[in-house]
Amino acid sequence: MSGSRGLGARWRRRRPLRTRLALAASAAVALVAVGVCAAAFLIIRVQMTRQLDLNLSQTAGQVSKERRNWGPTASDDSCRYQAVPCVQIVPSDPARDPRGRYALPVGEATRQVAAGHHAAYYSKLTVGGHPVRMFTTHLPGTREALQVALRSDTVERGVRQAAWALSVVGAAGVLLAAALGYWVSRTGLAPVARLTATAERIAATRDAGHRIELPTGPAGREDEVTRLAASFNVMLGELEQSVAAQRRLVADASHELRTPLTALRTNAELLARAGRLTEAQRERASAALGRQLREVTTLVNDLIELARDEEPQPLVEQVRPAALLAHAVGVAREHWPEITFELHTDPAADDLTVPGVPARLARLLSNLLDNAAKFSPPGGPVAAGLAVVPGGVELTVRDHGPGIAAADLPHVFDRFYRADAARALPGSGLGLAMARQIARAHGAVLTAEAAPGGGACFRLRIPVP
């Protein structure tokens, strides 16, 4: 049994889904059709037999009134005719049997009915080569049994005809079920077929711009397969954007790395001919080489950080934003001694904690503070604040520099994007992009806006569970 089940399971796994669905639908409809035909056959046979039994019972009632005092009588040969009943009266005592021979069989059960010790009953027998249905009942007020028989070949012929007719109907139902199953499988799996073809085309061409055509219909009437195709289209859109962003990142990184690598090669070649240089020239070339190495190292590290989409869960812990911001401002004061950093913290936020990775959140704040310091005039203030807002806390970093132009505001957080005013300043254009990515990984929202009175203001809203 287990071997046959294993073969059946392997056969089903090797069949296409369309074939399996067609077989399942056909089998279900065919089973219903065969079941209905079988039930109809049983009902027809029972009803026809019941009608024959009713005729026998009515005939027995009429005969019992007509021949109640006749005494025992043997039956004649009327059982040879289809519409004529065959009747005989049998006593309980065999000694009272008539001289003639009984045409219908008489047994012990017949004598018991005659004596009133057995209930009336129906029986099926053959008389004179013909099928007969016989009813045996007690004659009231006597010790005799009345036997009435009718030929049942008409009923049996009707049952056979009904069986043939229902067999034809059942066979037609099975064929119709097969056709409907095939149609259902083709119609129901058409979106799946289109989805498969699209996936295969994307795998062959590596082009995520393909989409599955969705059937048009009333709004809110989509079925599960259509919703699956729509979800697949959404996934393809996200994949296309991801691939485009990846290609753009590689192109931008290649462009940004080209200049410092060229400078590195130039200085390295220059130092290779150090014997022809003066001491001052060698020191300048060595300092430039070290500075360019640090820039390239910082750029590569930033690219590695941007390649991370999520924060490692084992590193997540409860972080106090107030302490984190104070630490970040302290580090910024050391890096930018010519800038005045102001810290304003809401006392209600001192003891609040949020889940996060401390090192990554510190990197986010340092990027915002470095960006503000870079655009602030010497001696200009950079204000950092922390306040409690509905649903969480909000950190703000504001500078008093040239601010953000309206045309640049939508692109502030793009990778490698640098406004015209920032092209002469050091940096790779990855700091704010990294800050937003870290914020999103922590479920926070980072926005930029032009500050009243000049300068730029960055707001980081972190939800508090």
Side-chain angles (χ1 to χ4, degrees):
M1 291 297 291
S2 60
S4 62
R5 286 197 297 268
L7 290 175
R10 286 195 296 271
W11 184 88
R12 287 193 298 272
R13 286 195 297 268
R14 292 174 181 174
R15 298 302 96 190
L17 178 60
R18 178 179 297 175
T19 302
R20 285 182 284 166
L21 180 60
L23 290 176
S26 302
V29 178
L31 184 62
V32 172
V34 171
V36 169
C37 291
F41 171 75
L42 293 176
I43 292 173
I44 290 173
R45 187 175 67 177
V46 169
Q47 290 297 328
M48 294 185 73
T49 303
R50 183 176 297 175
Q51 184 62 39
L52 181 59
D53 291 346
L54 181 60
N55 293 338
L56 287 172
S57 178
Q58 292 176 348
T59 302
Q62 295 175 358
V63 171
S64 64
K65 295 178 181 178
E66 297 173 356
R67 305 186 183 183
R68 179 176 300 176
N69 299 321
W70 282 28
T73 58
S75 175
D76 53 20
D77 58 356
S78 57
C79 290
R80 294 179 302 175
Y81 306 103
Q82 293 184 356
V84 180
C86 183
V87 180
Q88 68 182 22
I89 299 175
V90 180
S92 60
D93 186 1
R96 296 180 58 230
D97 286 345
R99 295 180 180 179
R101 181 174 175 272
Y102 289 120
L104 300 175
V106 175
E108 183 60 27
T110 308
R111 304 292 184 180
Q112 293 293 326
V113 171
H117 300 155
H118 195 288
Y121 64 92
Y122 294 92
S123 57
K124 184 178 179 182
L125 56 139
T126 301
V127 177
H130 302 289
V132 171
R133 182 79 170 171
M134 184 178 68
F135 177 55
T136 304
T137 184
H138 177 70
L139 278 174
T142 66
R143 293 182 61 82
E144 298 170 343
L146 174 63
Q147 291 181 305
V148 182
L150 280 172
R151 285 179 54 176
S152 60
D153 46 1
T154 304
V155 174
E156 294 183 359
R157 185 165 52 251
V159 171
R160 286 195 299 270
Q161 292 174 352
W164 279 104
L166 291 174
S167 298
V168 173
V169 172
V174 171
L175 295 177
L176 180 61
L180 289 176
Y182 178 75
W183 177 79
V184 167
S185 64
R186 285 186 59 87
T187 304
L189 294 180
V192 177
R194 291 196 296 268
L195 188 150
T196 304
T198 302
E200 292 174 348
R201 188 161 58 249
I202 292 173
T205 62
R206 296 183 179 273
D207 182 9
H210 298 286
R211 295 294 184 270
I212 302 173
E213 296 182 4
L214 300 178
T216 58
R221 296 283 298 275
E222 295 85 0
D223 56 16
E224 289 79 2
V225 178
T226 304
R227 288 200 297 271
L228 173 63
S231 301
F232 191 77
N233 282 342
V234 173
M235 183 188 68
L236 288 178
E238 296 293 334
L239 177 63
E240 185 179 16
Q241 293 181 5
S242 176
V243 172
Q246 182 182 18
R247 291 174 178 172
R248 187 166 58 251
L249 175 62
V250 172
D252 292 341
S254 301
H255 176 75
E256 293 292 332
L257 285 170
R258 187 178 292 115
T259 300
L261 288 177
T262 301
L264 278 173
R265 184 174 61 185
T266 301
N267 288 316
E269 292 174 353
L270 184 62
L271 287 175
R273 298 190 295 271
R276 304 177 184 179
L277 303 177
T278 64
E279 185 67 23
Q281 290 175 332
R282 284 197 299 270
E283 289 180 358
R284 286 198 301 269
S286 178
L289 184 62
R291 183 175 62 256
Q292 290 156 0
L293 281 173
R294 287 193 297 272
E295 291 179 359
V296 171
T297 301
T298 301
L299 179 59
V300 171
N301 290 335
D302 290 345
L303 289 174
I304 293 174
E305 293 292 337
L306 283 172
R308 297 168 56 183
D309 290 334
E310 297 180 355
E311 302 301 333
Q313 291 300 321
L315 302 181
V316 175
E317 57 183 84
Q318 293 298 319
V319 181
R320 292 177 58 212
L324 198 65
L325 180 59
H327 174 75
V329 169
V331 173
R333 285 170 178 165
E334 296 177 1
H335 288 174
W336 303 87
E338 70 278 8
I339 301 298
T340 301
F341 288 91
E342 301 175 356
L343 178 60
H344 306 282
T345 304
D346 187 350
D350 288 342
D351 296 328
L352 287 179
T353 60
V354 296
V357 180
R360 300 286 288 161
L361 290 175
R363 181 65 181 275
L364 185 158
L365 295 177
S366 66
N367 285 0
L368 294 180
L369 293 171
D370 289 345
N371 180 79
K374 184 169 60 176
F375 286 97
S376 294
V382 171
L386 176 65
V388 178
V389 296
V393 294
E394 185 178 78
L395 294 95
T396 57
V397 175
R398 183 198 169 171
D399 61 62
H400 290 77
I404 305 174
D408 296 329
L409 194 59
H411 308 286
V412 167
F413 298 103
D414 292 348
R415 296 170 181 173
F416 299 105
Y417 182 81
R418 304 185 73 183
D420 294 337
R423 296 189 183 277
L425 298 175
S428 61
L430 295 177
L432 293 180
M434 187 184 305
R436 169 165 280 190
Q437 178 170 302
I438 296 173
R440 287 178 175 174
H442 286 79
V445 178
L446 178 62
T447 58
E449 61 187 38
C457 180
F458 291 86
R459 299 181 183 275
L460 176 66
R461 179 166 293 191
I462 307 175
V464 175

